[in-house]
Amino acid sequence: PQIQKEDVMQLIVPATKERAVSDKVESRRLAARIIGSLVDQLHANEIEEQFLESAMTLTNDEDGSVRAVMAQSLAQVGSALPLSVCESRFWPRLREMLTSDPDARVKASAMRALSRSAEGHKDSASTAACFTSMIVPIFLQECENASKVASSDLRTIEDEVYLMLEIFAEVYGYFIVAVTNSLNSDEQWTLALNS
């Protein structure tokens, strides 16, 4: 049965916010999962109002599993929220998670979230500066990384590197759809299509 929106706002939203600041890792991880699942129940402005700060806090959680689950949820949340929120809050944080987080699961989840939320905003790609300044460079860097790894002996690479190659293969289509109108040189297209 479908949960009524009134029940979501009165029961689930407060409980989720409470869990997001809990001392227990399991509660924070559950909050991160719920935030992503509420995209179907709440309007974008309600998600932004109710959960933006909690989501950003959970992306910085001390526990890698909480950060990874929150990044997964940002794939749905980022597609639903206005592009301006993605540009200013989500994508810079996801880029940081992808490039700097010590946990490979977090990096993988960040890559998924970047690709899927960028694909969700593909109609704005030709006019949004963030696609050429942030999403395209991330995509091209991952294309370059994938090409290097794929040309090596896959039996000898580290598990984390292999995981990132698998995830990039999974999300390549989302990325290429998102950036297709922002790739503006033959060199970029060659790199993208040869990865």
Side-chain angles (χ1 to χ4, degrees), residues 32-68:
R33 176 72 63 213
I34 291 170
I35 290 170
S37 68
L38 289 176
V39 169
D40 294 333
Q41 293 290 324
L42 302 175
H43 294 290
N45 63 330
E46 292 168 324
I47 294 169
E48 184 177 356
E49 180 182 311
Q50 298 295 330
F51 294 115
L52 180 61
E53 294 310 318
S54 295
M56 296 310 296
T57 299
L58 292 170
T59 65
N60 286 298
D61 196 90
E62 64 189 34
D63 186 83
S65 68
V66 174
R67 293 191 309 274

PDB file of all heavy atoms in Angstrom, residues 32-68:
ATOM      1  N   ALA A  32      20.371   7.606   5.582  1.00  0.00           N
ATOM      2  CA  ALA A  32      20.910   7.868   4.238  1.00  0.00           C
ATOM      3  C   ALA A  32      20.114   7.113   3.174  1.00  0.00           C
ATOM      4  O   ALA A  32      19.808   7.657   2.111  1.00  0.00           O
ATOM      5  CB  ALA A  32      22.385   7.480   4.178  1.00  0.00           C
ATOM      6  N   ARG A  33      19.745   5.886   3.458  1.00  0.00           N
ATOM      7  CA  ARG A  33      18.965   5.074   2.518  1.00  0.00           C
ATOM      8  C   ARG A  33      17.555   5.650   2.356  1.00  0.00           C
ATOM      9  O   ARG A  33      17.039   5.764   1.247  1.00  0.00           O
ATOM     10  CB  ARG A  33      18.889   3.626   3.019  1.00  0.00           C
ATOM     11  CG  ARG A  33      18.027   2.720   2.191  1.00  0.00           C
ATOM     12  CD  ARG A  33      18.597   2.342   0.855  1.00  0.00           C
ATOM     13  NE  ARG A  33      19.812   1.588   1.024  1.00  0.00           N
ATOM     14  CZ  ARG A  33      20.850   1.641   0.189  1.00  0.00           C
ATOM     15  NH1 ARG A  33      20.804   2.389  -0.875  1.00  0.00           N
ATOM     16  NH2 ARG A  33      21.929   0.937   0.393  1.00  0.00           N
ATOM     17  N   ILE A  34      16.942   6.039   3.448  1.00  0.00           N
ATOM     18  CA  ILE A  34      15.573   6.573   3.401  1.00  0.00           C
ATOM     19  C   ILE A  34      15.518   7.878   2.625  1.00  0.00           C
ATOM     20  O   ILE A  34      14.594   8.105   1.839  1.00  0.00           O
ATOM     21  CB  ILE A  34      14.997   6.744   4.826  1.00  0.00           C
ATOM     22  CG1 ILE A  34      14.764   5.371   5.453  1.00  0.00           C
ATOM     23  CG2 ILE A  34      13.696   7.547   4.795  1.00  0.00           C
ATOM     24  CD1 ILE A  34      14.425   5.416   6.934  1.00  0.00           C
ATOM     25  N   ILE A  35      16.497   8.732   2.807  1.00  0.00           N
ATOM     26  CA  ILE A  35      16.510  10.016   2.091  1.00  0.00           C
ATOM     27  C   ILE A  35      16.404   9.775   0.587  1.00  0.00           C
ATOM     28  O   ILE A  35      15.640  10.437  -0.108  1.00  0.00           O
ATOM     29  CB  ILE A  35      17.750  10.846   2.465  1.00  0.00           C
ATOM     30  CG1 ILE A  35      17.639  11.337   3.910  1.00  0.00           C
ATOM     31  CG2 ILE A  35      17.927  12.028   1.504  1.00  0.00           C
ATOM     32  CD1 ILE A  35      18.909  11.961   4.467  1.00  0.00           C
ATOM     33  N   GLY A  36      17.157   8.838   0.082  1.00  0.00           N
ATOM     34  CA  GLY A  36      17.094   8.526  -1.347  1.00  0.00           C
ATOM     35  C   GLY A  36      15.756   7.963  -1.780  1.00  0.00           C
ATOM     36  O   GLY A  36      15.267   8.260  -2.864  1.00  0.00           O
ATOM     37  N   SER A  37      15.140   7.175  -0.911  1.00  0.00           N
ATOM     38  CA  SER A  37      13.875   6.546  -1.287  1.00  0.00           C
ATOM     39  C   SER A  37      12.695   7.510  -1.221  1.00  0.00           C
ATOM     40  O   SER A  37      11.645   7.248  -1.807  1.00  0.00           O
ATOM     41  CB  SER A  37      13.598   5.326  -0.401  1.00  0.00           C
ATOM     42  OG  SER A  37      13.341   5.732   0.927  1.00  0.00           O
ATOM     43  N   LEU A  38      12.839   8.630  -0.552  1.00  0.00           N
ATOM     44  CA  LEU A  38      11.736   9.588  -0.437  1.00  0.00           C
ATOM     45  C   LEU A  38      11.567  10.472  -1.669  1.00  0.00           C
ATOM     46  O   LEU A  38      10.623  11.258  -1.741  1.00  0.00           O
ATOM     47  CB  LEU A  38      11.913  10.454   0.811  1.00  0.00           C
ATOM     48  CG  LEU A  38      11.688   9.721   2.139  1.00  0.00           C
ATOM     49  CD1 LEU A  38      11.974  10.648   3.311  1.00  0.00           C
ATOM     50  CD2 LEU A  38      10.279   9.157   2.226  1.00  0.00           C
ATOM     51  N   VAL A  39      12.448  10.329  -2.633  1.00  0.00           N
ATOM     52  CA  VAL A  39      12.348  11.117  -3.862  1.00  0.00           C
ATOM     53  C   VAL A  39      11.004  10.903  -4.541  1.00  0.00           C
ATOM     54  O   VAL A  39      10.435  11.830  -5.117  1.00  0.00           O
ATOM     55  CB  VAL A  39      13.516  10.782  -4.820  1.00  0.00           C
ATOM     56  CG1 VAL A  39      13.301  11.361  -6.195  1.00  0.00           C
ATOM     57  CG2 VAL A  39      14.818  11.278  -4.232  1.00  0.00           C
ATOM     58  N   ASP A  40      10.473   9.697  -4.455  1.00  0.00           N
ATOM     59  CA  ASP A  40       9.186   9.398  -5.082  1.00  0.00           C
ATOM     60  C   ASP A  40       8.001   9.944  -4.294  1.00  0.00           C
ATOM     61  O   ASP A  40       6.900  10.040  -4.825  1.00  0.00           O
ATOM     62  CB  ASP A  40       9.021   7.884  -5.255  1.00  0.00           C
ATOM     63  CG  ASP A  40      10.019   7.300  -6.228  1.00  0.00           C
ATOM     64  OD1 ASP A  40      10.475   8.043  -7.121  1.00  0.00           O
ATOM     65  OD2 ASP A  40      10.364   6.116  -6.080  1.00  0.00           O
ATOM     66  N   GLN A  41       8.205  10.263  -3.025  1.00  0.00           N
ATOM     67  CA  GLN A  41       7.113  10.703  -2.162  1.00  0.00           C
ATOM     68  C   GLN A  41       7.037  12.225  -1.983  1.00  0.00           C
ATOM     69  O   GLN A  41       5.984  12.753  -1.680  1.00  0.00           O
ATOM     70  CB  GLN A  41       7.255  10.067  -0.772  1.00  0.00           C
ATOM     71  CG  GLN A  41       7.058   8.577  -0.768  1.00  0.00           C
ATOM     72  CD  GLN A  41       5.612   8.202  -1.025  1.00  0.00           C
ATOM     73  OE1 GLN A  41       4.699   8.873  -0.587  1.00  0.00           O
ATOM     74  NE2 GLN A  41       5.404   7.124  -1.769  1.00  0.00           N
ATOM     75  N   LEU A  42       8.170  12.901  -2.133  1.00  0.00           N
ATOM     76  CA  LEU A  42       8.231  14.334  -1.846  1.00  0.00           C
ATOM     77  C   LEU A  42       8.610  15.121  -3.086  1.00  0.00           C
ATOM     78  O   LEU A  42       9.312  14.615  -3.963  1.00  0.00           O
ATOM     79  CB  LEU A  42       9.256  14.607  -0.739  1.00  0.00           C
ATOM     80  CG  LEU A  42       9.021  13.895   0.598  1.00  0.00           C
ATOM     81  CD1 LEU A  42      10.188  14.177   1.539  1.00  0.00           C
ATOM     82  CD2 LEU A  42       7.713  14.327   1.239  1.00  0.00           C
ATOM     83  N   HIS A  43       8.189  16.351  -3.145  1.00  0.00           N
ATOM     84  CA  HIS A  43       8.592  17.252  -4.220  1.00  0.00           C
ATOM     85  C   HIS A  43      10.038  17.685  -3.983  1.00  0.00           C
ATOM     86  O   HIS A  43      10.540  17.649  -2.851  1.00  0.00           O
ATOM     87  CB  HIS A  43       7.689  18.483  -4.260  1.00  0.00           C
ATOM     88  CG  HIS A  43       6.277  18.172  -4.618  1.00  0.00           C
ATOM     89  ND1 HIS A  43       5.908  17.770  -5.880  1.00  0.00           N
ATOM     90  CD2 HIS A  43       5.145  18.183  -3.873  1.00  0.00           C
ATOM     91  CE1 HIS A  43       4.611  17.551  -5.903  1.00  0.00           C
ATOM     92  NE2 HIS A  43       4.122  17.789  -4.692  1.00  0.00           N
ATOM     93  N   ALA A  44      10.687  18.118  -5.024  1.00  0.00           N
ATOM     94  CA  ALA A  44      12.086  18.524  -4.943  1.00  0.00           C
ATOM     95  C   ALA A  44      12.309  19.586  -3.876  1.00  0.00           C
ATOM     96  O   ALA A  44      13.268  19.504  -3.101  1.00  0.00           O
ATOM     97  CB  ALA A  44      12.571  19.022  -6.302  1.00  0.00           C
ATOM     98  N   ASN A  45      11.431  20.576  -3.799  1.00  0.00           N
ATOM     99  CA  ASN A  45      11.624  21.630  -2.803  1.00  0.00           C
ATOM    100  C   ASN A  45      11.481  21.088  -1.378  1.00  0.00           C
ATOM    101  O   ASN A  45      12.146  21.559  -0.462  1.00  0.00           O
ATOM    102  CB  ASN A  45      10.670  22.805  -3.043  1.00  0.00           C
ATOM    103  CG  ASN A  45       9.204  22.429  -2.916  1.00  0.00           C
ATOM    104  OD1 ASN A  45       8.806  21.294  -3.181  1.00  0.00           O
ATOM    105  ND2 ASN A  45       8.392  23.392  -2.518  1.00  0.00           N
ATOM    106  N   GLU A  46      10.634  20.068  -1.189  1.00  0.00           N
ATOM    107  CA  GLU A  46      10.490  19.465   0.140  1.00  0.00           C
ATOM    108  C   GLU A  46      11.730  18.656   0.505  1.00  0.00           C
ATOM    109  O   GLU A  46      12.183  18.686   1.658  1.00  0.00           O
ATOM    110  CB  GLU A  46       9.251  18.573   0.167  1.00  0.00           C
ATOM    111  CG  GLU A  46       7.950  19.338   0.048  1.00  0.00           C
ATOM    112  CD  GLU A  46       6.751  18.444  -0.208  1.00  0.00           C
ATOM    113  OE1 GLU A  46       6.880  17.427  -0.935  1.00  0.00           O
ATOM    114  OE2 GLU A  46       5.679  18.773   0.333  1.00  0.00           O
ATOM    115  N   ILE A  47      12.274  17.939  -0.462  1.00  0.00           N
ATOM    116  CA  ILE A  47      13.507  17.184  -0.204  1.00  0.00           C
ATOM    117  C   ILE A  47      14.629  18.141   0.159  1.00  0.00           C
ATOM    118  O   ILE A  47      15.362  17.920   1.126  1.00  0.00           O
ATOM    119  CB  ILE A  47      13.891  16.325  -1.428  1.00  0.00           C
ATOM    120  CG1 ILE A  47      12.847  15.238  -1.643  1.00  0.00           C
ATOM    121  CG2 ILE A  47      15.275  15.720  -1.257  1.00  0.00           C
ATOM    122  CD1 ILE A  47      12.988  14.510  -2.951  1.00  0.00           C
ATOM    123  N   GLU A  48      14.749  19.208  -0.620  1.00  0.00           N
ATOM    124  CA  GLU A  48      15.792  20.191  -0.349  1.00  0.00           C
ATOM    125  C   GLU A  48      15.617  20.801   1.036  1.00  0.00           C
ATOM    126  O   GLU A  48      16.567  20.879   1.820  1.00  0.00           O
ATOM    127  CB  GLU A  48      15.754  21.282  -1.419  1.00  0.00           C
ATOM    128  CG  GLU A  48      16.849  22.302  -1.281  1.00  0.00           C
ATOM    129  CD  GLU A  48      16.826  23.339  -2.399  1.00  0.00           C
ATOM    130  OE1 GLU A  48      16.004  23.232  -3.330  1.00  0.00           O
ATOM    131  OE2 GLU A  48      17.636  24.267  -2.325  1.00  0.00           O
ATOM    132  N   GLU A  49      14.408  21.199   1.352  1.00  0.00           N
ATOM    133  CA  GLU A  49      14.129  21.848   2.639  1.00  0.00           C
ATOM    134  C   GLU A  49      14.343  20.898   3.815  1.00  0.00           C
ATOM    135  O   GLU A  49      14.927  21.273   4.827  1.00  0.00           O
ATOM    136  CB  GLU A  49      12.688  22.356   2.636  1.00  0.00           C
ATOM    137  CG  GLU A  49      12.275  23.044   3.921  1.00  0.00           C
ATOM    138  CD  GLU A  49      10.821  23.471   3.875  1.00  0.00           C
ATOM    139  OE1 GLU A  49      10.413  24.103   2.873  1.00  0.00           O
ATOM    140  OE2 GLU A  49      10.088  23.167   4.832  1.00  0.00           O
ATOM    141  N   GLN A  50      13.886  19.667   3.676  1.00  0.00           N
ATOM    142  CA  GLN A  50      13.924  18.728   4.790  1.00  0.00           C
ATOM    143  C   GLN A  50      15.267  18.009   4.959  1.00  0.00           C
ATOM    144  O   GLN A  50      15.651  17.690   6.079  1.00  0.00           O
ATOM    145  CB  GLN A  50      12.816  17.672   4.629  1.00  0.00           C
ATOM    146  CG  GLN A  50      11.420  18.229   4.645  1.00  0.00           C
ATOM    147  CD  GLN A  50      11.047  18.847   5.988  1.00  0.00           C
ATOM    148  OE1 GLN A  50      11.529  18.429   7.041  1.00  0.00           O
ATOM    149  NE2 GLN A  50      10.195  19.848   5.950  1.00  0.00           N
ATOM    150  N   PHE A  51      15.975  17.759   3.831  1.00  0.00           N
ATOM    151  CA  PHE A  51      17.100  16.835   3.926  1.00  0.00           C
ATOM    152  C   PHE A  51      18.436  17.317   3.361  1.00  0.00           C
ATOM    153  O   PHE A  51      19.425  16.591   3.450  1.00  0.00           O
ATOM    154  CB  PHE A  51      16.738  15.507   3.237  1.00  0.00           C
ATOM    155  CG  PHE A  51      15.654  14.765   3.930  1.00  0.00           C
ATOM    156  CD1 PHE A  51      14.440  14.556   3.311  1.00  0.00           C
ATOM    157  CD2 PHE A  51      15.833  14.278   5.217  1.00  0.00           C
ATOM    158  CE1 PHE A  51      13.422  13.869   3.940  1.00  0.00           C
ATOM    159  CE2 PHE A  51      14.819  13.586   5.861  1.00  0.00           C
ATOM    160  CZ  PHE A  51      13.610  13.377   5.228  1.00  0.00           C
ATOM    161  N   LEU A  52      18.498  18.480   2.766  1.00  0.00           N
ATOM    162  CA  LEU A  52      19.751  18.902   2.145  1.00  0.00           C
ATOM    163  C   LEU A  52      20.903  18.907   3.151  1.00  0.00           C
ATOM    164  O   LEU A  52      21.959  18.336   2.901  1.00  0.00           O
ATOM    165  CB  LEU A  52      19.601  20.274   1.482  1.00  0.00           C
ATOM    166  CG  LEU A  52      20.860  20.810   0.802  1.00  0.00           C
ATOM    167  CD1 LEU A  52      21.316  19.871  -0.312  1.00  0.00           C
ATOM    168  CD2 LEU A  52      20.616  22.205   0.247  1.00  0.00           C
ATOM    169  N   GLU A  53      20.700  19.532   4.273  1.00  0.00           N
ATOM    170  CA  GLU A  53      21.785  19.611   5.265  1.00  0.00           C
ATOM    171  C   GLU A  53      22.119  18.242   5.849  1.00  0.00           C
ATOM    172  O   GLU A  53      23.297  17.920   6.047  1.00  0.00           O
ATOM    173  CB  GLU A  53      21.447  20.625   6.364  1.00  0.00           C
ATOM    174  CG  GLU A  53      21.372  22.056   5.866  1.00  0.00           C
ATOM    175  CD  GLU A  53      22.586  22.495   5.037  1.00  0.00           C
ATOM    176  OE1 GLU A  53      23.736  22.176   5.407  1.00  0.00           O
ATOM    177  OE2 GLU A  53      22.371  23.140   3.990  1.00  0.00           O
ATOM    178  N   SER A  54      21.107  17.442   6.105  1.00  0.00           N
ATOM    179  CA  SER A  54      21.365  16.084   6.606  1.00  0.00           C
ATOM    180  C   SER A  54      22.154  15.278   5.588  1.00  0.00           C
ATOM    181  O   SER A  54      23.101  14.559   5.940  1.00  0.00           O
ATOM    182  CB  SER A  54      20.043  15.359   6.904  1.00  0.00           C
ATOM    183  OG  SER A  54      19.348  15.974   7.949  1.00  0.00           O
ATOM    184  N   ALA A  55      21.762  15.387   4.324  1.00  0.00           N
ATOM    185  CA  ALA A  55      22.467  14.651   3.271  1.00  0.00           C
ATOM    186  C   ALA A  55      23.927  15.078   3.195  1.00  0.00           C
ATOM    187  O   ALA A  55      24.826  14.226   3.100  1.00  0.00           O
ATOM    188  CB  ALA A  55      21.779  14.863   1.924  1.00  0.00           C
ATOM    189  N   MET A  56      24.173  16.368   3.250  1.00  0.00           N
ATOM    190  CA  MET A  56      25.550  16.847   3.167  1.00  0.00           C
ATOM    191  C   MET A  56      26.358  16.382   4.379  1.00  0.00           C
ATOM    192  O   MET A  56      27.525  15.997   4.257  1.00  0.00           O
ATOM    193  CB  MET A  56      25.584  18.371   3.040  1.00  0.00           C
ATOM    194  CG  MET A  56      24.948  18.894   1.754  1.00  0.00           C
ATOM    195  SD  MET A  56      25.518  18.096   0.233  1.00  0.00           S
ATOM    196  CE  MET A  56      27.238  18.558   0.228  1.00  0.00           C
ATOM    197  N   THR A  57      25.741  16.390   5.543  1.00  0.00           N
ATOM    198  CA  THR A  57      26.419  15.907   6.754  1.00  0.00           C
ATOM    199  C   THR A  57      26.752  14.424   6.626  1.00  0.00           C
ATOM    200  O   THR A  57      27.855  13.997   6.974  1.00  0.00           O
ATOM    201  CB  THR A  57      25.542  16.163   7.996  1.00  0.00           C
ATOM    202  OG1 THR A  57      25.321  17.572   8.122  1.00  0.00           O
ATOM    203  CG2 THR A  57      26.204  15.634   9.253  1.00  0.00           C
ATOM    204  N   LEU A  58      25.809  13.637   6.113  1.00  0.00           N
ATOM    205  CA  LEU A  58      26.038  12.201   5.982  1.00  0.00           C
ATOM    206  C   LEU A  58      27.104  11.874   4.938  1.00  0.00           C
ATOM    207  O   LEU A  58      27.746  10.827   5.024  1.00  0.00           O
ATOM    208  CB  LEU A  58      24.725  11.477   5.674  1.00  0.00           C
ATOM    209  CG  LEU A  58      23.711  11.477   6.828  1.00  0.00           C
ATOM    210  CD1 LEU A  58      22.363  10.955   6.366  1.00  0.00           C
ATOM    211  CD2 LEU A  58      24.236  10.677   8.015  1.00  0.00           C
ATOM    212  N   THR A  59      27.319  12.744   3.950  1.00  0.00           N
ATOM    213  CA  THR A  59      28.407  12.494   2.990  1.00  0.00           C
ATOM    214  C   THR A  59      29.773  12.676   3.641  1.00  0.00           C
ATOM    215  O   THR A  59      30.777  12.254   3.080  1.00  0.00           O
ATOM    216  CB  THR A  59      28.328  13.399   1.743  1.00  0.00           C
ATOM    217  OG1 THR A  59      28.522  14.757   2.125  1.00  0.00           O
ATOM    218  CG2 THR A  59      27.035  13.214   0.989  1.00  0.00           C
ATOM    219  N   ASN A  60      29.798  13.301   4.808  1.00  0.00           N
ATOM    220  CA  ASN A  60      31.040  13.506   5.553  1.00  0.00           C
ATOM    221  C   ASN A  60      31.121  12.630   6.799  1.00  0.00           C
ATOM    222  O   ASN A  60      31.961  12.867   7.662  1.00  0.00           O
ATOM    223  CB  ASN A  60      31.164  14.984   5.961  1.00  0.00           C
ATOM    224  CG  ASN A  60      31.512  15.865   4.797  1.00  0.00           C
ATOM    225  OD1 ASN A  60      32.562  15.715   4.198  1.00  0.00           O
ATOM    226  ND2 ASN A  60      30.619  16.775   4.458  1.00  0.00           N
ATOM    227  N   ASP A  61      30.252  11.650   6.901  1.00  0.00           N
ATOM    228  CA  ASP A  61      30.203  10.797   8.089  1.00  0.00           C
ATOM    229  C   ASP A  61      31.542  10.096   8.294  1.00  0.00           C
ATOM    230  O   ASP A  61      32.265   9.801   7.332  1.00  0.00           O
ATOM    231  CB  ASP A  61      29.094   9.753   7.936  1.00  0.00           C
ATOM    232  CG  ASP A  61      28.726   9.106   9.248  1.00  0.00           C
ATOM    233  OD1 ASP A  61      27.833   9.640   9.933  1.00  0.00           O
ATOM    234  OD2 ASP A  61      29.346   8.075   9.606  1.00  0.00           O
ATOM    235  N   GLU A  62      31.855   9.816   9.544  1.00  0.00           N
ATOM    236  CA  GLU A  62      33.110   9.127   9.853  1.00  0.00           C
ATOM    237  C   GLU A  62      33.124   7.689   9.358  1.00  0.00           C
ATOM    238  O   GLU A  62      34.190   7.108   9.130  1.00  0.00           O
ATOM    239  CB  GLU A  62      33.366   9.155  11.366  1.00  0.00           C
ATOM    240  CG  GLU A  62      32.325   8.396  12.161  1.00  0.00           C
ATOM    241  CD  GLU A  62      32.438   8.584  13.660  1.00  0.00           C
ATOM    242  OE1 GLU A  62      32.807   9.667  14.102  1.00  0.00           O
ATOM    243  OE2 GLU A  62      32.148   7.612  14.383  1.00  0.00           O
ATOM    244  N   ASP A  63      31.947   7.104   9.171  1.00  0.00           N
ATOM    245  CA  ASP A  63      31.846   5.712   8.735  1.00  0.00           C
ATOM    246  C   ASP A  63      31.703   5.633   7.216  1.00  0.00           C
ATOM    247  O   ASP A  63      30.820   6.261   6.632  1.00  0.00           O
ATOM    248  CB  ASP A  63      30.642   5.047   9.410  1.00  0.00           C
ATOM    249  CG  ASP A  63      30.580   3.571   9.109  1.00  0.00           C
ATOM    250  OD1 ASP A  63      31.269   2.794   9.800  1.00  0.00           O
ATOM    251  OD2 ASP A  63      29.867   3.191   8.156  1.00  0.00           O
ATOM    252  N   GLY A  64      32.544   4.843   6.594  1.00  0.00           N
ATOM    253  CA  GLY A  64      32.530   4.712   5.139  1.00  0.00           C
ATOM    254  C   GLY A  64      31.231   4.152   4.593  1.00  0.00           C
ATOM    255  O   GLY A  64      30.777   4.559   3.519  1.00  0.00           O
ATOM    256  N   SER A  65      30.594   3.230   5.322  1.00  0.00           N
ATOM    257  CA  SER A  65      29.348   2.659   4.816  1.00  0.00           C
ATOM    258  C   SER A  65      28.237   3.704   4.782  1.00  0.00           C
ATOM    259  O   SER A  65      27.397   3.696   3.877  1.00  0.00           O
ATOM    260  CB  SER A  65      28.919   1.445   5.646  1.00  0.00           C
ATOM    261  OG  SER A  65      28.547   1.819   6.953  1.00  0.00           O
ATOM    262  N   VAL A  66      28.228   4.626   5.723  1.00  0.00           N
ATOM    263  CA  VAL A  66      27.232   5.701   5.727  1.00  0.00           C
ATOM    264  C   VAL A  66      27.487   6.634   4.544  1.00  0.00           C
ATOM    265  O   VAL A  66      26.559   7.007   3.825  1.00  0.00           O
ATOM    266  CB  VAL A  66      27.253   6.479   7.059  1.00  0.00           C
ATOM    267  CG1 VAL A  66      26.326   7.691   6.999  1.00  0.00           C
ATOM    268  CG2 VAL A  66      26.875   5.566   8.223  1.00  0.00           C
ATOM    269  N   ARG A  67      28.759   6.984   4.326  1.00  0.00           N
ATOM    270  CA  ARG A  67      29.100   7.856   3.191  1.00  0.00           C
ATOM    271  C   ARG A  67      28.711   7.196   1.871  1.00  0.00           C
ATOM    272  O   ARG A  67      28.178   7.848   0.964  1.00  0.00           O
ATOM    273  CB  ARG A  67      30.598   8.194   3.187  1.00  0.00           C
ATOM    274  CG  ARG A  67      31.038   9.048   4.350  1.00  0.00           C
ATOM    275  CD  ARG A  67      32.455   9.590   4.192  1.00  0.00           C
ATOM    276  NE  ARG A  67      33.461   8.604   3.857  1.00  0.00           N
ATOM    277  CZ  ARG A  67      34.132   7.852   4.722  1.00  0.00           C
ATOM    278  NH1 ARG A  67      33.895   7.963   6.027  1.00  0.00           N
ATOM    279  NH2 ARG A  67      35.050   6.990   4.309  1.00  0.00           N
ATOM    280  N   ALA A  68      28.959   5.897   1.761  1.00  0.00           N
ATOM    281  CA  ALA A  68      28.647   5.177   0.524  1.00  0.00           C
ATOM    282  C   ALA A  68      27.143   5.130   0.272  1.00  0.00           C
ATOM    283  O   ALA A  68      26.684   5.380  -0.855  1.00  0.00           O
ATOM    284  CB  ALA A  68      29.216   3.754   0.574  1.00  0.00           C
TER     285      ALA A  68
END
